[in-house]
């Protein structure tokens, strides 16, 4: 076997952090922590014979054998005489439309909302719609959902300010409109034992910031990984529209880039300030750039420009430290 060549399977990727690295297996939606030196060796010796690795690191053979066995047992590496049969998967990220996810306040003027959802939203390519409803009004929600009945929107997430006794009506609503994939209550004073919905004691702003709590929040999809290599996964190709129709990058954004009633969103998304914001990947954010999980992390902390260096800072502290490798 040592005369055969090796490399990671095409669906597996290695990422270095400041203290350690990980190998991500997107097919099995799992990851494994490894020393950074192992990531370096996988990168440097990929496509070469195992013998050359053992020859160059003769004193470390026992450790290298241990990792080779580990990689083989978890089907992370290919060992073959001809590894050209296993080409790499492209990490390019391309989408044909301007916007993937749109968050809007349902208190927007109904005539403006109807015109936008029925006539314009498909031209933007929006596939995910997030609707904010501070006051629960079943008929208004139904009316709004009917506006997108013939659209190409794939999923709808409802954000509702918590009130007691809404669950029965919401279950009926989900049965009637299967595009509702999630219902999130914010400002919940209590957490009912109901697995059908998400209850958050946090404010709406905090909920939309999507602070990760543990490793279960990671997104183990290759397309998300590819997007995160170049863009900010939480905000790329997303916009927020408030109850006045103002177009923003996110809910707490102090900048306004136009109004839904008077501006064309296809032109708004060509604004350099919006594009630059979308392109603030985790490699450009302090702390995040040192984290081994940066390409699978959906955390929605807003990147803020600093005057001290070329890197950004996060609007909220993360629950994970790449320096101690511990969760708080």
């Amino acid at each position: 076997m040592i005369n055969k060549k090796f490399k990671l399977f095409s669906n597996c990727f290695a990422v270095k952090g400041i203290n350690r690295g990980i190998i991500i297996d997107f097919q099995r939606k799992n990851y494994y922590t490894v020393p950074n030196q192992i990531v370096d060796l996988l990168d440097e010796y990929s496509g070469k014979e195992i013998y050359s690795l053992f020859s160059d690191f003769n004193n470390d053979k026992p450790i290298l054998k241990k990792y080779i066995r580990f990689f083989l047992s978890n089907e992370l590496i290919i060992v073959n005489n001809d590894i050209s049969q296993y080409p790499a998967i492209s990490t390019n990220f391309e989408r044909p439309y301007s916007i993937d996810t749109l968050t809007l306040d349902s208190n927007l003027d109904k005539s403006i909302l109807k015109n936008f959802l029925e006539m314009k939203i498909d031209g933007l390519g929006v596939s995910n719609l997030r609707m904010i409803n501070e006051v629960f009004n079943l008929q208004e929600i139904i009316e709004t959902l009917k506006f997108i009945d013939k659209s190409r929107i794939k999923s709808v997430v409802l954000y509702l300010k918590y009130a007691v006794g809404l669950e029965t009506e919401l279950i009926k609503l989900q049965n009637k409109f299967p595009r509702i994939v999630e219902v999130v209550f914010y400002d919940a004073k209590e957490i009912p034992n109901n697995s059908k919905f998400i209850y958050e004691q946090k404010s709406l702003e905090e909920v939309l910031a999507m602070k990760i709590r543990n490793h279960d929040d990671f997104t183990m999809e290759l397309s998300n990984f590819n997007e995160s290599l170049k863009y900010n996964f939480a905000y790329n190709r997303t916009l927020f529209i408030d109850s006045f129709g103002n177009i923003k990058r996110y809910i707490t954004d102090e900048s306004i880039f136009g109004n839904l009633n008077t501006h064309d969103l296809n032109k708004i998304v060509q604004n350099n300030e919006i594009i630059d914001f979308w392109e603030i990947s985790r490699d450009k954010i302090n702390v995040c750039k040192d984290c081994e999980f940066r390409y699978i992390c959906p955390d929605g902390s807003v990147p803020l420009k600093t005057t001290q260096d070329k890197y950004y800072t996060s609007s909220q502290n993360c629950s994970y430290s790449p320096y101690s490798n511990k969760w708080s």
Side-chain angles (χ1 to χ4, degrees):
M1 185 179 75
I2 64 171
N3 293 321
K4 293 183 178 181
K5 298 176 181 179
F6 76 100
K7 63 177 287 190
L8 286 172
F9 272 103
S10 300
N11 55 281
C12 297
F13 292 83
V15 180
K16 286 178 64 176
I18 194 167
N19 277 344
R20 65 180 184 180
I22 58 171
I23 298 174
I24 310 166
D25 181 346
F26 285 108
Q27 182 172 328
R28 291 183 172 86
K29 301 188 185 304
N30 199 3
Y31 68 84
Y32 305 87
T33 58
V34 294
N36 277 332
Q37 296 91 327
I38 296 298
V39 176
D40 289 334
L41 292 177
L42 285 170
D43 182 53
E44 183 178 351
Y45 286 85
S46 178
K48 297 180 181 179
E49 293 179 354
I50 295 177
Y51 173 80
S52 65
L53 177 63
F54 286 173
S55 177
D56 291 347
F57 296 91
N58 188 56
N59 294 333
D60 298 314
K61 271 187 179 180
I63 296 175
L64 294 175
K65 286 181 178 180
K66 169 189 169 184
Y67 276 103
I68 292 292
R69 286 194 295 268
F70 175 79
F71 294 151
L72 287 171
S73 65
N74 287 285
E75 298 183 313
L76 297 174
I77 61 170
I78 306 158
V79 177
N80 201 293
N81 289 322
D82 183 12
I83 60 171
S84 64
Q85 301 177 47
Y86 307 91
I89 294 176
S90 172
T91 56
N92 290 335
F93 178 82
E94 296 179 358
R95 290 288 187 273
Y97 293 107
S98 304
I99 303 173
D100 281 334
T101 301
L102 188 68
T103 305
L104 61 83
D105 193 317
S106 295
N107 284 326
L108 186 65
D109 180 271
K110 287 299 177 284
S111 61
I112 297 174
L113 186 63
K114 182 177 187 295
N115 179 62
F116 173 69
L117 293 179
E118 287 187 341
M119 306 300 295
K120 299 178 181 179
I121 199 165
D122 273 352
L124 297 164
V126 176
S127 58
N128 307 302
L129 180 65
R130 305 196 298 184
M131 292 170 48
I132 298 169
N133 301 270
E134 184 173 0
V135 179
F136 180 76
N137 185 312
L138 181 61
Q139 291 307 313
E140 286 191 1
I141 294 175
I142 291 175
E143 183 180 351
T144 302
L145 290 171
K146 285 181 177 179
F147 294 158
I148 62 169
D149 189 50
K150 296 180 180 179
S151 75
R152 290 182 289 193
I153 289 175
K154 296 178 181 178
S155 67
V156 176
V157 178
L158 299 181
Y159 291 86
L160 304 172
K161 188 169 185 177
Y162 179 70
V164 177
L166 301 182
E167 286 81 359
T168 300
E169 293 296 337
L170 285 168
I171 291 173
K172 294 178 182 177
L173 188 67
Q174 282 186 304
N175 291 335
K176 186 174 182 179
F177 296 96
R179 282 192 254 190
I180 301 175
V181 296
E182 201 168 74
V183 176
V184 181
F185 288 103
Y186 61 92
D187 283 340
K189 306 304 179 186
E190 57 187 62
I191 307 296
N193 185 20
N194 189 326
S195 61
K196 288 184 175 293
F197 307 115
I198 297 173
Y199 297 86
E200 296 281 2
Q201 294 178 314
K202 302 174 183 177
S203 67
L204 176 63
E205 291 77 9
E206 291 174 307
V207 171
L208 291 178
M210 301 176 292
K211 182 176 180 176
I212 63 167
R213 287 165 283 201
N214 53 54
H215 61 85
D216 291 332
D217 292 330
F218 291 148
T219 56
M220 305 298 290
E221 297 292 340
L222 181 58
S223 59
N224 299 149
F225 176 86
N226 290 345
E227 184 175 11
S228 296
L229 291 174
K230 184 177 179 181
Y231 301 100
N232 189 301
F233 172 65
Y235 292 106
N236 183 41
R237 298 162 59 82
T238 71
L239 285 176
F240 175 81
I241 299 172
D242 68 17
S243 59
F244 300 102
N246 294 321
I247 301 164
K248 303 178 180 183
R249 294 167 297 183
Y250 49 92
I251 188 170
T252 56
D253 195 357
E254 295 181 357
S255 299
I256 296 174
F257 297 89
N259 190 279
L260 194 63
N261 193 37
T262 56
H263 292 78
D264 182 354
L265 272 178
N266 275 310
K267 294 181 179 179
I268 293 292
V269 295
Q270 296 174 22
N271 184 295
N272 287 334
E273 196 172 343
I274 291 177
I275 294 172
D276 290 345
F277 179 72
W278 289 351
E279 293 180 351
I280 304 174
S281 69
R282 307 230 182 265
D283 288 321
K284 300 177 182 178
I285 303 173
N286 277 321
V287 181
C288 293
K289 65 183 177 63
D290 295 329
C291 184
E292 64 271 31
F293 300 116
R294 62 190 178 276
Y295 301 133
I296 56 174
C297 176
D299 187 82
S301 300
V302 177
L304 304 172
K305 188 64 178 175
T306 64
T307 57
Q308 297 177 345
D309 54 37
K310 63 180 180 179
Y311 294 105
Y312 292 79
T313 186
S314 294
S315 61
Q316 59 185 0
N317 293 326
C318 186
S319 300
Y320 176 77
S321 169
Y323 310 108
S324 66
N325 303 124
K326 293 181 179 178
W327 294 88
S328 58

